[in-house]
Amino acid sequence: MKAQVILVNEHDEETGLMEKMEAHEKGLLHRAFSVFVLNDKGEMLLQQRALDKYHSGGLWTNACCSHPLPGETVEAATHRRLAEEMGFDCPLRELFQFTYRTEFDNGLIEHEYDHVWVGFYNGEIHPDPIEVHAFHYLPIDEILRQLTATPEQFTSWFRLAFPKVIDQLRE
């Protein structure tokens, strides 16, 4: 069975299910999440998406992002995907939610109601090479510098969420 996403309205209320690629072809709003992870040095974990991902391949982004499965809570999905993509899990807390829409050159449209979570981790990382091409921790100031100099090297959702994450962590 092909992966399904949870379609939602602008209030994150479920309106139905749809096959993931069909939702991205039609640009329908669906539930998603993004996980940001920092270490004790205050550095943020970035992953470079696998080069052959269906969109944004090779771009740098947060520790992991995905969609909850039908019947799965967003919190459970964050832990499942962090373990699947990066090979570890850690305590997480939700920071905020936002909606965004991005059209890609390949005709796909990312239209997501994104739940943004944050955690702290200092242990070993064993990413899935099907999902992740590379990874590293970077100081926040260096990420800000790179985002300013070369925004095209980062995913659209990372460019939108990162400033809000930093603002909330500094509060």
Side-chain angles (χ1 to χ4, degrees):
M1 184 171 174
K2 293 186 177 186
Q4 292 186 314
V5 294
I6 301 166
L7 301 178
V8 297
N9 64 20
E10 64 277 359
H11 304 292
D12 195 33
E13 298 165 335
E14 187 173 336
T15 61
L17 301 174
M18 183 174 281
E19 191 270 320
K20 181 171 83 169
M21 288 308 293
E22 183 181 359
H24 287 103
E25 289 165 355
K26 294 180 176 179
L28 298 180
L29 185 62
H30 57 279
R31 188 173 293 149
F33 61 86
S34 296
V35 176
F36 287 75
V37 173
L38 294 97
N39 63 18
D40 286 344
K41 297 177 190 175
E43 300 168 321
M44 184 173 284
L45 176 61
L46 298 181
Q47 71 147 285
Q48 184 180 28
R49 288 169 60 87
L51 303 179
D52 60 354
K53 294 288 282 185
Y54 64 100
H55 70 71
S56 305
L59 297 183
W60 289 93
T61 197
N62 45 287
C64 85
C65 49
S66 190
H67 312 94
L69 300 172
E72 181 181 42
T73 66
V74 176
E75 182 175 13
T78 63
H79 292 286
R80 174 181 55 80
R81 285 303 293 170
L82 188 56
E84 289 172 356
E85 284 189 37
M86 300 305 291
F88 72 89
D89 193 13
C90 65
L92 299 170
R93 68 181 170 96
E94 189 168 9
L95 288 180
F96 61 90
Q97 299 132 28
F98 75 107
T99 302
Y100 74 95
R101 186 177 193 281
T102 301
E103 295 185 27
F104 299 102
D105 291 342
N106 64 1
L108 296 178
I109 302 165
E110 192 78 284
H111 191 192
E112 295 188 333
Y113 190 102
D114 196 11
H115 294 254
V116 178
W117 293 68
V118 66
F120 293 86
Y121 181 75
N122 295 290
E124 291 187 24
I125 299 171
H126 302 283
D128 178 350
I130 293 172
E131 299 287 339
V132 180
H133 181 70
F135 70 93
H136 56 232
Y137 279 99
L138 280 182
I140 301 302
D141 290 343
E142 177 58 20
I143 297 171
L144 286 167
R145 188 193 69 72
Q146 289 184 21
L147 273 171
T148 301
T150 57
E152 69 281 357
Q153 292 188 22
F154 294 87
T155 62
S156 61
W157 61 90
F158 182 83
R159 293 191 309 256
L160 294 168
F162 176 77
K164 295 176 188 177
V165 169
I166 299 312
D167 286 347
Q168 292 213 7
L169 290 175
R170 290 181 175 158
E171 289 179 356

